[in-house]
């Protein structure tokens, strides 16, 4: 049995309940051990010394600890610890909250000169963020810059998307979410209702419902028993009446829970007076040094310092280019605003003409025709008009060789102010880019320092050999390494050349991809057949500025195959189709006159590059390094990235049935079947299968 390394959402709910009794304790000092363990030394007026430990690395936990279990104070405190001491010394502990049903805790502290919140992200890579009273990030252990959220000094803290809380839903919603699943009972509870594996199994055991029963075979009575089991499970979390247990296997601590589990009924266990005491005992005695995986992860490897240095330098060059671009853009917007004020009467004449015409319900086309007639007669104001966008209600004018887009109903002042505000917004982006480049420079210096230390280390004290290839399929235990990415809610894959390709799953996502995630240097693909996803090949990583690069034909062909495979071509049982590629400026939401664009559809203008008779093709695979996850896409891309993969083609099995067949095949390939269950469930595999029937290719 794998030893627990991370606290679940239910565990954290129990921790929050118990820590409420310590509200009012005074903070003395903060300590940081390594880069992931925070210790807060506090004084509780009734119970004396209080030690709070928060760890966000390989081990993820938060609990109080007995003084004898606290590590000795480290040497000179790092800047993060000094910042916390300055903000928290003498502050009152004002309580802790759990964000939604997520593995995120907010520790609140109050002091006369300002409040402070420490946000502990106990999921994924883990992180600690320190917020001021306005929820602005003062500092964080790791800087996060994603499309979906940002955690960086000076930014507003953004929580990840919230998940359903299974302890708060009523029976109707419970029934709906269960019926909406196409997998078995236990995996539905674990994923759709966010219980996680252990507590999903516990609910099934308490309800006396077969875990592996297909959801379509479960009846109303079993649903009621499951819901009643959930109600019993949450009762101690509401009352605080815990009966904590530390569970053993062969005299080794393997798990800790806030109350006894029927799932562990046959295991040796030790009872504790409080859940925090149980957690303290468990994690104090958690020794991972004997784990093969942990030991291997600690074996010295020869780092590619030069490659890291070159990568950081490339990022710096790109960020510097972005900063210069922001400067030019901001200056251009200010110049436009000044041109409006410098030609106030002239611009006001144009705007007033449009306002008066619209007040008389004159069509936009007629207004544009009037300006064209005026230009022919040599009227200066009319000559300055360069076009009218009926869909946006704007007028484009040219002043001193500069084209400016105006909103007629706003008048000169508001249009100028809008341009000034846009310049300000761009300068804020510049400030963010400057902060990012400083972070990158610090990372570059850190890599250079590690390189110097490595090269200065005696040869005999390090292992210069690259680790041998590991046969993960035959390993009895495979470590789980997950790092959630913003693009995983879309269809996605990485090409053979490393470019990210993303596609929409529905009309809403198609709209979102074009409006929010498509940059000027990206490539836009779509199948000629109806019903295909909007497909975008990103020419830069999401954390980097957009850049103009040469995309190899191989990556373009893979993106085209992706667009065709996930279109109606597959669903119709055909084995090839056409796709085309255009640049982002050719994609528009404005239809041609007399036409209508449905939600998720776009008008394409200009020449297209076609990929004729592109064969359909999808492979689904499992990766182990550097992250453990399911991936899927064109076979030529997946085969080089996955530890093992299965190719599929249009066939007779429905999408969910095909996913189950692939799941069973993967379980046969890996010695560690629990690993497959954790990272490649049938519902995760199904996300990478095209709509319609499929079959495995032998």
């Amino acid at each position: 049995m794998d030893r627990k390394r991370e606290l679940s959402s239910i565990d954290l709910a129990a921790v929050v309940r118990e820590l409420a009794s310590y509200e009012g304790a005074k903070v003395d000092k903060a300590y940081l051990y390594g880069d992931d363990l925070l210790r807060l030394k506090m004084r509780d007026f009734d119970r004396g010394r209080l030690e709070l430990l928060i760890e966000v690395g390989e081990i993820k936990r938060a609990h109080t600890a007995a003084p004898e279990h606290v590590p000795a104070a480290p040497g000179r405190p790092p800047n993060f610890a000094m910042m916390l001491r300055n903000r928290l010394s003498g502050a009152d502990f004002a309580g802790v909250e759990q964000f939604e049903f997520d593995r995120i805790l907010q520790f609140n502290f109050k002091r006369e000169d300002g409040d402070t919140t420490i946000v502990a992200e106990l999921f994924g890579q883990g992180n600690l963020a320190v917020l001021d009273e306005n929820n602005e990030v003062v500092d964080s252990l790791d800087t996060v810059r994603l499309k979906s959220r940002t955690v960086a000094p000076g930014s507003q803290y953004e929580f990840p998307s919230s998940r359903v809380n299974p302890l708060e839903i009523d029976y109707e919603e419970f029934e709906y979410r269960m019926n909406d699943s196409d997998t078995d009972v236990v995996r539905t509870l674990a994923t759709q209702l966010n219980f996680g594996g252990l507590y999903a199994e516990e609910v099934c055991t308490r309800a006396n419902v077969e875990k592996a029963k297909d959801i379509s075979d479960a009846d109303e009575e079993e649903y009621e028993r499951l819901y009643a089991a959930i109600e019993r499970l949450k009762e101690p979390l509401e009352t605080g009446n815990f009966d904590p247990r530390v569970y053993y296997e062969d005299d080794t601590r393997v798990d800790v829970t806030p109350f006894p589990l029927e799932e562990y009924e046959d295991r040796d266990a030790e009872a504790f007076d409080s859940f925090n005491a149980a957690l303290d005992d468990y994690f104090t005695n958690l020794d991972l040094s004997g784990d093969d995986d942990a030991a291997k992860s600690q074996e010295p490897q020869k780092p590619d310092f030069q490659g890291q240095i070159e990568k950081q330098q490339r990022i710096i060059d790109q960020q510097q280019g972005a900063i210069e671009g922001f400067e030019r853009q901001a200056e251009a917007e200010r110049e436009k605003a000044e041109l409006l004020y410098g030609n106030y009467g002239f611009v006001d004449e144009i705007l007033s003409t449009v306002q008066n015409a619209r007040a008389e319900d004159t069509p936009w086309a007629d207004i544009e025709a009037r300006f064209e007639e005026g230009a022919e007669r040599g009227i200066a104001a009319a000559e300055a008009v360069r076009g009218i966008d009926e869909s946006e209600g704007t007028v484009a004018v040219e002043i001193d060789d500069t084209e400016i887009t105006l909103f007629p109903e706003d008048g000169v002042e508001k249009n100028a102010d809008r341009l000034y505000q846009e310049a300000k917004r761009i300068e804020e982006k510049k400030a963010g880019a400057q902060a990012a480049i400083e972070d990158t420079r610090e990372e570059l210096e850190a890599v250079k320092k590690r390189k110097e230390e490595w090269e200065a280390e005696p040869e005999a004290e390090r292992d210069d050999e690259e680790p041998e290839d590991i046969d993960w399929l035959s390993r009895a235990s495979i470590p789980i390494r997950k790092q959630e990415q913003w693009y995983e809610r879309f269809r996605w894959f990485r090409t053979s050349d490393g470019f990210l390709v993303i596609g929409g799953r529905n009309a809403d996502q198609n709209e979102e991809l074009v409006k929010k995630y498509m940059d000027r240097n990206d490539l836009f693909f779509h199948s000629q057949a109806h019903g295909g996803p909007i497909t975008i090949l990103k020419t830069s990583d999401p954390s980097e500025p957009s850049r103009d690069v040469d995309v190899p034909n191989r990556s373009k062909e893979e993106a085209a195959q992706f667009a065709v495979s996930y279109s109606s071509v597959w669903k119709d049982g055909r084995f090839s189709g056409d796709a085309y590629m255009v640049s982002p400026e050719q994609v528009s939401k404005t239809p041609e006159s007399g036409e209508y664009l449905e939600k998720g559809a776009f008008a394409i203008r200009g020449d297209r590059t076609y990929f004729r008779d592109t064969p359909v093709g999808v492979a689904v695979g499992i990766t182990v390094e550097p992250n453990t996850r399911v991936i899927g896409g064109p076979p030529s891309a997946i085969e080089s990235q996955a530890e093992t993969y299965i190719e599929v083609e249009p066939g007779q099995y429905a999408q969910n049935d095909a996913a189950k067949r692939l799941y069973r095949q993967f379980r046969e390939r890996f010695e560690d079947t629990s690993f497959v269950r954790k990272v490649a469930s049938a519902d995760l595999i199904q996300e990478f299968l095209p709509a319609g029937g499929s079959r495995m290719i032998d």
Side-chain angles (χ1 to χ4, degrees):
M1 177 180 175
D2 293 339
R3 283 170 281 185
K4 174 179 278 187
R5 305 182 185 203
E6 302 179 358
L7 297 187
S8 70
S9 294
I10 286 181
D11 296 334
L12 293 176
V15 169
V16 167
R17 181 79 187 190
E18 286 192 349
L19 288 182
S21 64
Y22 292 101
E23 290 183 20
K26 291 280 187 183
V27 180
D28 285 336
K29 270 190 178 180
Y31 304 88
L32 185 67
Y33 300 80
D35 57 3
D36 56 23
L37 175 59
L38 176 66
R39 167 190 165 199
L40 294 180
K41 182 180 179 182
M42 299 189 284
R43 288 173 289 112
D44 183 78
F45 293 105
D46 295 325
R47 284 161 283 197
R49 179 178 168 185
L50 174 66
E51 297 282 1
L52 177 64
L53 299 181
I54 307 171
E55 191 168 4
V56 295
E58 181 185 4
I59 305 299
K60 295 180 178 65
R61 55 170 172 153
H63 58 84
T64 58
E68 60 269 22
H69 292 164
V70 171
R76 186 172 180 271
N79 292 337
F80 189 85
M82 289 301 297
M83 174 274 298
L84 279 175
R85 292 183 184 185
N86 291 334
R87 295 189 66 89
L88 296 182
S89 180
D92 293 327
F93 175 50
V96 57
E97 308 166 66
Q98 182 180 14
F99 173 69
E100 302 291 347
F101 192 64
D102 216 331
R103 288 180 291 163
I104 299 177
L105 297 185
Q106 303 171 74
F107 295 87
N108 302 311
F109 301 89
K110 291 187 176 294
R111 204 168 67 176
E112 287 187 3
D113 59 345
D115 300 341
T116 299
T117 297
I118 298 176
V119 179
E121 298 182 352
L122 300 163
F123 65 91
Q125 297 298 303
N127 199 7
L128 285 176
V130 181
L131 317 182
D132 63 16
E133 55 268 29
N134 299 315
N135 282 336
E136 186 174 292
V137 179
V138 177
D139 201 357
S140 57
L141 289 183
D142 290 319
T143 298
V144 178
R145 298 185 187 277
L146 304 173
K147 288 283 187 181
S148 57
R149 63 191 294 256
T150 297
V151 180
S155 68
Q156 285 291 119
Y157 180 80
E158 299 175 83
F159 287 100
S161 299
S162 60
R163 307 184 303 162
V164 63
N165 186 342
L167 305 181
E168 292 184 352
I169 61 176
D170 56 23
Y171 180 78
E172 287 72 20
E173 184 176 355
F174 168 78
E175 185 179 36
Y176 168 78
R177 290 185 177 276
M178 295 293 286
N179 288 333
D180 195 43
S181 173
D182 58 4
T183 184
D184 56 33
V185 172
V186 71
R187 279 181 287 187
T188 300
L189 291 169
T191 58
Q192 304 286 78
L193 277 85
N194 297 316
F195 272 110
L198 174 61
Y199 286 102
E201 293 181 353
E202 176 68 11
V203 169
C204 291
T205 300
R206 292 190 179 195
N208 194 26
V209 173
E210 182 185 348
K211 300 172 186 176
K213 174 173 282 192
D214 193 280
I215 203 73
S216 60
D217 297 330
D219 57 29
E220 182 72 20
E221 181 186 352
E222 288 170 315
Y223 276 8
E224 291 174 352
R225 295 207 306 271
L226 288 168
Y227 188 75
I230 294 173
E231 291 292 295
R232 294 195 302 276
L233 190 73
K234 75 179 184 181
E235 183 178 343
L237 298 174
E238 294 175 337
T239 63
N241 294 325
F242 301 122
D243 188 8
R245 293 288 190 275
V246 170
Y247 289 96
Y248 288 77
E249 185 178 89
D250 298 330
D251 297 326
T252 299
R253 294 168 175 82
V254 293
D255 207 344
V256 53
T257 62
F259 37 74
L261 300 186
E262 293 183 18
E263 191 69 15
Y264 289 164
E265 193 171 35
D266 298 331
R267 294 189 180 277
D268 294 333
E270 182 180 358
F272 285 81
D273 293 334
S274 73
F275 188 42
N276 274 267
L279 291 170
D280 183 26
D281 173 82
Y282 177 82
F283 284 108
T284 297
N285 293 283
L286 179 62
D287 181 9
L288 301 176
S289 60
D291 284 5
D292 289 340
D293 298 322
K296 284 192 176 295
S297 69
Q298 294 169 7
E299 292 176 0
Q301 300 176 17
K302 183 179 180 179
D304 180 14
F305 289 117
Q306 192 57 39
Q308 296 176 39
I309 290 171
E310 291 174 359
K311 178 183 177 182
Q312 297 297 334
Q313 191 59 60
R314 285 196 303 272
I315 294 174
I316 289 173
D317 292 342
Q318 292 158 3
Q319 290 170 331
Q320 187 61 51
I323 290 171
E324 293 171 358
F326 290 145
E327 290 173 347
R328 290 192 296 271
Q329 292 173 34
E331 181 60 28
E333 296 302 309
R334 280 193 296 269
E335 287 179 357
K336 290 178 183 178
E338 290 163 6
L339 281 172
L340 293 185
Y341 278 120
N343 297 269
Y344 191 101
F346 179 77
V347 176
D348 185 56
E349 180 183 350
I350 296 172
L351 297 180
S352 297
T353 299
V354 178
Q355 289 171 358
N356 294 334
R358 291 300 294 159
E360 297 173 356
D361 295 328
T362 303
W364 286 101
D366 291 352
I367 296 174
E368 188 168 20
R370 289 184 187 178
F371 279 119
E372 290 173 354
E373 292 171 2
E376 291 175 0
R377 297 201 304 269
I379 299 174
E383 289 178 334
V385 176
R386 288 291 173 265
I388 290 178
D389 187 335
E390 180 177 347
S391 64
E392 298 292 335
T394 58
V395 177
V397 301
E398 185 177 300
I399 304 174
D400 292 350
D401 298 325
T402 299
E403 187 169 298
I404 308 172
T405 299
L406 303 173
F407 291 88
E409 70 276 9
D410 288 345
V412 179
E413 293 88 349
K414 286 187 177 181
N415 274 286
D417 183 64
R418 174 177 54 81
L419 294 168
Y420 281 128
Q421 291 301 318
E422 177 64 12
K424 183 178 178 181
R425 185 188 68 81
I426 293 171
E427 287 179 335
E428 289 173 353
K429 290 177 66 176
K430 170 188 167 184
Q434 287 173 327
I437 202 172
E438 290 305 316
D439 291 341
T440 308
R441 284 172 176 154
E442 289 180 7
E443 293 171 7
L444 175 60
E445 291 305 313
V447 173
K448 289 180 177 178
K449 184 177 180 181
R450 289 198 299 272
K451 181 174 182 288
E452 292 173 0
E453 292 172 349
W454 178 276
E455 292 173 345
E457 188 177 339
E459 192 74 20
E461 295 183 12
R462 66 172 184 253
D463 181 3
D464 283 341
E465 296 299 323
E466 291 289 342
E468 296 181 1
D469 289 339
I470 299 174
D471 181 8
W472 291 108
L473 297 180
S474 62
R475 288 291 294 270
S477 177
I478 301 175
I480 306 297
R481 309 181 188 91
K482 288 187 177 180
Q483 186 176 13
E484 297 177 1
Q485 301 291 345
W486 64 270
Y487 49 77
E488 291 183 15
R489 62 192 181 90
F490 302 104
R491 293 196 182 280
W492 69 277
F493 79 98
R494 284 195 178 273
T495 71
S496 300
D497 304 296
F499 291 94
L500 174 65
V501 176
I502 46 180
R505 294 184 180 276
N506 50 47
D508 287 333
Q509 287 196 351
N510 283 345
E511 294 270 350
E512 184 179 2
L513 284 175
V514 171
K515 292 180 179 178
K516 188 174 181 181
Y517 294 110
M518 185 168 69
D519 294 321
R520 66 182 182 277
N521 292 310
D522 295 339
L523 297 175
F524 177 101
F525 292 80
H526 201 276
S527 65
Q528 193 68 12
H530 181 71
I534 294 297
T535 300
I536 297 172
L537 186 150
K538 299 288 298 176
T539 55
S540 59
D541 281 340
S543 60
E544 300 174 354
S546 179
R547 52 196 171 97
D548 186 10
V549 298
D550 291 329
V551 179
N553 287 333
R554 176 174 60 175
S555 288
K556 294 177 182 177
E557 290 167 357
E558 288 172 347
Q561 185 177 43
F562 177 87
V564 170
S565 297
Y566 290 99
S567 73
S568 58
V569 170
W570 188 289
K571 194 171 185 179
D572 293 341
R574 293 182 283 144
F575 286 80
S576 66
D578 296 340
Y580 61 84
M581 175 186 74
V582 297
S583 57
E585 61 264 22
Q586 294 177 254
V587 182
S588 173
K589 193 60 183 172
T590 305
E592 298 291 349
S593 178
E595 294 183 353
Y596 169 74
L597 290 176
E598 296 178 351
K599 187 173 188 179
F602 293 85
I604 307 298
R605 296 185 172 88
D607 295 336
R608 310 179 186 190
T609 299
Y610 280 93
F611 297 81
R612 302 289 187 185
D613 295 322
T614 298
V616 299
V618 169
V620 179
I622 298 177
T623 65
V624 177
E625 296 179 308
N627 293 302
T628 49
R629 56 156 56 105
V630 179
I631 60 173
S636 59
I638 300 305
E639 64 182 0
S640 62
Q641 301 172 29
E643 185 66 27
T644 184
Y645 67 95
I646 300 172
E647 287 190 54
V648 295
E649 64 182 10
Q652 69 272 36
Y653 299 108
Q655 193 182 48
N656 60 332
D657 292 333
K660 291 175 183 177
R661 288 172 174 269
L662 266 66
Y663 172 70
R664 288 194 290 268
Q665 183 68 240
F666 282 129
R667 281 179 63 92
E668 292 176 3
R669 295 185 180 187
F670 281 89
E671 182 71 21
D672 184 1
T673 56
S674 66
F675 164 76
V676 179
R677 175 172 54 82
K678 293 172 186 174
V679 304
S681 60
D683 53 329
L684 288 175
I685 292 171
Q686 185 175 334
E687 292 182 3
F688 292 92
L689 294 178
S694 300
R695 66 183 176 198
M696 289 185 284
I697 300 177
D698 295 332

